[in-house]
Amino acid sequence: MRFFLIVLMYIAVNLYIGWHGYFVLSYFEVPFLSSVYWVLFWVIALSYLFGRFRLLPGPVGRLFQFIGSYYFAVMEFALILLPIADLAAWLLKKLGLNAAIPIISPIVIILLVSLLLRGSWNAWSPVIRTYELNIDKKADNLKELRIAVASDLHLGNIVGNRHLKRLVERMSDLKPDLILLPGDVIDDVIEPFIRKQMSQNMKQLQAPYGIYAVLGNHEYYGGHIEEYVKQMNAIGIRVLRDESVLVNDALYIAGRKDKTAESADPDGRLSVTSLLADLDVIRPIIMMDHQPYQFDKAADAGVDLLLCGHTHRGQFAPNHWITGRLFELDWGYLLKKKMHVIVSSGFGTWGPPIRLASRSEIIDITIRFR
């Protein structure tokens, strides 16, 4: 029933958008066939589904997925702009101005294109977010640690080697002691990661204390977790699945399975308390958990720094208003009791490579120990 309602809503929204396109073309007497217009419109509106679920083969399917990803952004922005345009047209008509369509139509198009261009620039131009933290624990003889963090790379058919090279270059410039990847490294299926040989770029990431990752929900959606873990292990990146490691005899890195494991993994996932039960909490504990939930339980279990992603901070406005209500922290920094929490908006994108009110980012953390 829920799926049926979502489908009906999607059809209704696109009928609303499609009618406006049809109306404008008719108003300006652009020669076109009504049937051709609607066929093309629905092909574009459904193109992401054609590509994502492999209803079309090979490069054709990937092209449709690319087109459809951008259409998602067009659809949302149109759903915001068109009601405003309708209201403006109604007001102009009430005022006796019959030139409403010639005035409003180009304004809507210019605004839509501007939002897409700005959003694309935000998505492909990563920034470095810097945090300096103090942890009141001894880390053996280690006084300071620099960590580079990138969540939600979403490597696949949309986010590819070009953006991945940006990650490698910027992380290399930071010269981190440790690199952490808190989930959604790949975008569902692993096939594009292998076909495009993305591991050849990933293996250029270097950090003396190692590189660690955890699973995100999209690794579970793709269903290729074992192959993904194998690919990562081959290039020296360890995927922690409800595991912890002692780094340099100084601090622990703990990694939880994603929350999706509670329903998708036959073994489920450990609670934070169980995961950390055997650790010596006198040492600093850094934990990665892809989805930002249950901060209080992590703080009570002895975690000193919790790193999350998942939210993308809504990726593009006004979705950040929704994520801001769904999560205790959907982006940025929070001190929970004595635990530092950082939630990243992510380095890559899901669906359209568009960001508004968020940026593609790398987190640069300097920790000073007692």
Side-chain angles (χ1 to χ4, degrees), residues 164-174:
L164 179 54
K165 287 177 182 177
R166 295 187 185 108
L167 176 72
V168 172
E169 290 169 0
R170 284 157 176 77
M171 280 197 168
S172 297
D173 292 341
L174 294 176

Side-chain angles (χ1 to χ4, degrees), residues 14 33 38 52 64 69 91 98 104-106 117 176 186 191 222 228 232 238 243 264 267 270 275 296 310 316 329 337:
N14 282 284
L33 291 174
W38 283 110
R52 172 63 184 84
F64 270 70
S69 68
L91 289 173
N98 295 321
I104 293 172
S105 297
L117 289 174
I186 60 172
E191 183 271 332
Y228 165 69
M232 296 292 270
R238 182 171 174 182
E243 300 172 89
D267 298 324
L270 295 178
L275 175 60
D296 53 339
H310 182 64
F316 46 87
L329 177 70
K337 300 178 183 178

Side-chain angles (χ1 to χ4, degrees), residues 19-79:
W19 178 84
H20 279 80
Y22 183 89
F23 177 79
V24 169
L25 290 174
S26 301
Y27 181 89
F28 288 106
E29 299 181 351
V30 177
F32 69 99
L33 291 174
S34 174
S35 57
V36 172
Y37 168 83
W38 283 110
V39 168
L40 287 175
F41 175 82
W42 283 111
V43 166
I44 292 171
L46 299 172
S47 56
Y48 186 85
L49 300 179
F50 293 151
R52 172 63 184 84
F53 294 105
R54 300 186 179 186
L55 301 177
L56 295 170
V60 176
R62 293 195 290 272
L63 175 63
F64 270 70
Q65 185 177 359
F66 181 82
I67 293 170
S69 68
Y70 273 99
Y71 180 74
F72 281 157
V74 170
M75 181 176 67
E76 181 162 340
F77 295 150
L79 196 57

Side-chain angles (χ1 to χ4, degrees), residues 77 81 84 104-118 356:
F77 295 150
L81 293 173
I84 298 172
I104 293 172
S105 297
I107 292 174
V108 170
I109 293 170
I110 290 169
L111 285 174
L112 181 59
V113 171
S114 298
L115 289 171
L116 292 173
L117 289 174
R118 179 63 189 186
L356 288 173

Side-chain angles (χ1 to χ4, degrees), residues 44-211:
I44 292 171
L46 299 172
S47 56
Y48 186 85
L49 300 179
F50 293 151
R52 172 63 184 84
F53 294 105
R54 300 186 179 186
L55 301 177
L56 295 170
V60 176
R62 293 195 290 272
L63 175 63
F64 270 70
Q65 185 177 359
F66 181 82
I67 293 170
S69 68
Y70 273 99
Y71 180 74
F72 281 157
V74 170
M75 181 176 67
E76 181 162 340
F77 295 150
L79 196 57
I80 295 169
L81 293 173
L82 290 178
I84 298 172
D86 290 342
L87 179 60
W90 179 79
L91 289 173
L92 288 174
K93 187 175 181 180
K94 285 293 182 181
L95 293 172
L97 299 175
N98 295 321
I101 304 305
I103 294 172
I104 293 172
S105 297
I107 292 174
V108 170
I109 293 170
I110 290 169
L111 285 174
L112 181 59
V113 171
S114 298
L115 289 171
L116 292 173
L117 289 174
R118 179 63 189 186
S120 181
W121 188 86
N122 284 345
W124 299 125
S125 305
V127 295
I128 308 294
R129 309 282 188 196
T130 302
Y131 296 90
E132 295 189 5
L133 309 175
N134 295 311
I135 292 179
D136 190 24
K137 289 182 180 179
K138 291 188 68 176
D140 197 43
N141 294 321
L142 190 64
K143 300 298 181 185
E144 189 172 288
L145 182 72
R146 191 171 191 183
I147 309 173
V149 181
S151 77
D152 300 274
L153 277 61
H154 285 275
L155 299 173
N157 287 320
I158 308 299
V159 181
N161 278 311
R162 182 179 297 181
H163 199 49
L164 179 54
K165 287 177 182 177
R166 295 187 185 108
L167 176 72
V168 172
E169 290 169 0
R170 284 157 176 77
M171 280 197 168
S172 297
D173 292 341
L174 294 176
K175 295 179 173 58
D177 302 308
L178 178 70
I179 294 176
L180 299 177
L181 307 172
D184 281 1
V185 172
I186 60 172
D187 190 41
D188 299 349
V189 296
I190 200 171
E191 183 271 332
F193 184 86
I194 297 173
R195 173 170 43 83
K196 296 182 180 182
Q197 298 182 324
M198 295 186 195
S199 61
Q200 297 304 305
N201 285 312
M202 287 286 288
K203 73 178 183 181
Q204 295 177 39
L205 294 171
Q206 298 292 327
Y209 293 162
I211 306 171

Side-chain angles (χ1 to χ4, degrees), residues 325-365:
R325 289 182 174 274
L326 287 177
F327 300 95
E328 182 177 357
L329 177 70
D330 73 325
W331 174 70
Y333 172 82
L334 173 71
L335 182 64
K336 187 73 173 183
K337 300 178 183 178
K338 293 183 179 181
M339 180 180 73
H340 304 283
V341 182
I342 296 175
V343 179
S344 174
S345 61
F347 184 79
T349 53
W350 178 86
I354 301 292
R355 284 185 175 274
L356 288 173
S358 75
R359 288 288 296 275
S360 169
E361 67 178 22
I362 296 170
I363 306 296
D364 177 19
I365 305 171

